[in-house]
Amino acid sequence: MQRFELPAPAKLNRFLHITGRRQDGYHELQTIFQLVDFHDVLVFEPAEDIDVQMDGDSIPVADNLVYRAAMLLSAGRSVPGVRITVKKNIPTGGGMGGGSSDAATALHGLNLLWRLGYSKTELAEFGLQLGADVPVFVHGRTSWAEGIGEVLVPIDLPESWFVVLVPRCRVSTAEIFLHPDLTRDSSAITIARFLQQKVFSDQKVFRNDCEEVSRILYPEIGKALDWLNQWGAARMSGTGSSVFLETTDKTLASDVLARSLKNWQGFMTRSVQESSLVGALNQVEKSFQN
C-alpha cells in the first residue's frame, strides 16, 4: 500500500434542543451539525498489524474510536496491516466531534484501502455503532439532525466565521445529562422555521439546552460565554468545553480572537457545506488507480 493522509473535520452545534427522553435513557434532540474548515489529520501507512497511534492524546488505544472502527471493518476478514496515526488539532472533549470525525475518516480510509466497497449509507450504519454523531461525518455535509443525532437532513446555510474558545476544563457528558436541572422538554421546531428565523442570535429560540447546567458545573465555560457575548450571541458546542461566537464579518472575528488569546486558547474557522474529506477521498482514490 502507499502512504496517504485524510482530514477529519470538526463540527459546531449551532443550537442544541433536547426534546425528550427515551425509555432506553437516550435523549431526543434537534440540532444543526455545522461542519467547519478545521480538522484533525489521519495518516495511513503500511504495517504488519492494525495499529493506531494518537498524536498528543492520552486515550487508551483499545478505547479509541479509530481503533474500534478498524476492528468493525476488519471483523471476519483477512486484511493487510495498517498503521493509522491521528494528528490532533480538534480539542479533545471540546464538543466539536473530534473523536467521531476521526472514526468516520478511518471508516472511509479503510473502506478505500481494503477495497470493501461499502456505500456512505453502509459506512454510516457502522458509524452509528461507534457514536450517534459519527454518521454526519461519514456523509460529510452540514446537516439538520434529530433522533439522537443520527436522523440527518443536509442543509445549506450562508457562510459564517466562528471564534472558538476552549476553556481549560474537562466536561462530563454523562454528568450534564443526568443533572436534575437539565431542560428535557424543549418544543420541537421545523427546518422551515429555522430557515425563516431572521434573528438567529435570538437565544430564546435557538440555544444549547446543556449550557445552563454546564455553567453551574463548569464556571470557566460561563466566563468564556459571558466574554464572547460582548460581540453577539455566544453558544456552547454540544456537551463539550468549547464555546463560539458566530459572525459574517471575518475582520470582527479576527479582532475578537486576538483579544481573547490573553485569557483562553482558541482559533478562528469558517463554515463549510461539504466536508474537506469528500474531496480528499476523491484524490486518494484517483492516486490508487494510477
Side-chain angles (χ1 to χ4, degrees), residues 79-90:
V79 295
V82 59
R83 177 181 298 109
I84 306 174
T85 302
V86 184
K87 299 181 178 180
K88 293 296 295 179
N89 294 306
I90 303 171

Side-chain angles (χ1 to χ4, degrees), residues 140-266:
R141 284 292 309 274
T142 287
S143 297
W144 178 279
E146 297 186 352
I148 60 173
E150 87 289 7
V151 181
L152 302 169
V153 178
I155 186 170
D156 292 328
L157 299 171
E159 182 178 86
S160 294
W161 291 88
F162 300 94
V163 179
V164 182
L165 303 185
V166 189
R168 292 179 176 86
C169 57
R170 298 279 293 198
V171 174
S172 168
T173 299
E175 189 175 17
I176 290 174
F177 277 112
L178 290 172
H179 199 282
D181 293 339
L182 179 67
T183 297
R184 297 181 173 87
D185 58 354
S186 286
S187 299
I189 60 175
T190 64
I191 297 177
R193 183 185 176 193
F194 171 80
L195 294 175
Q196 291 170 1
Q197 184 70 27
K198 295 182 179 180
V199 185
F200 175 68
S201 60
D202 186 347
Q203 292 181 316
K204 293 181 179 180
V205 179
F206 302 113
R207 62 195 174 277
N208 184 331
D209 283 337
C210 299
E211 187 177 303
E212 290 305 313
V213 169
S214 297
R215 282 178 174 270
I216 296 170
L217 297 174
Y218 309 100
E220 189 66 19
I221 290 177
K223 291 178 183 178
L225 284 166
D226 291 340
W227 189 86
L228 280 177
N229 276 328
Q230 298 176 85
W231 289 277
R235 287 182 180 81
M236 187 175 87
S237 184
T239 56
S241 59
S242 297
V243 301
F244 66 91
L245 172 72
E246 178 185 1
T247 177
T248 58
D249 188 338
K250 182 180 178 180
T251 301
L252 173 62
S254 181
D255 180 59
V256 172
L257 177 64
R259 293 168 183 256
S260 72
L261 294 180
K262 299 175 183 177
N263 300 307
W264 292 280
Q265 293 181 331

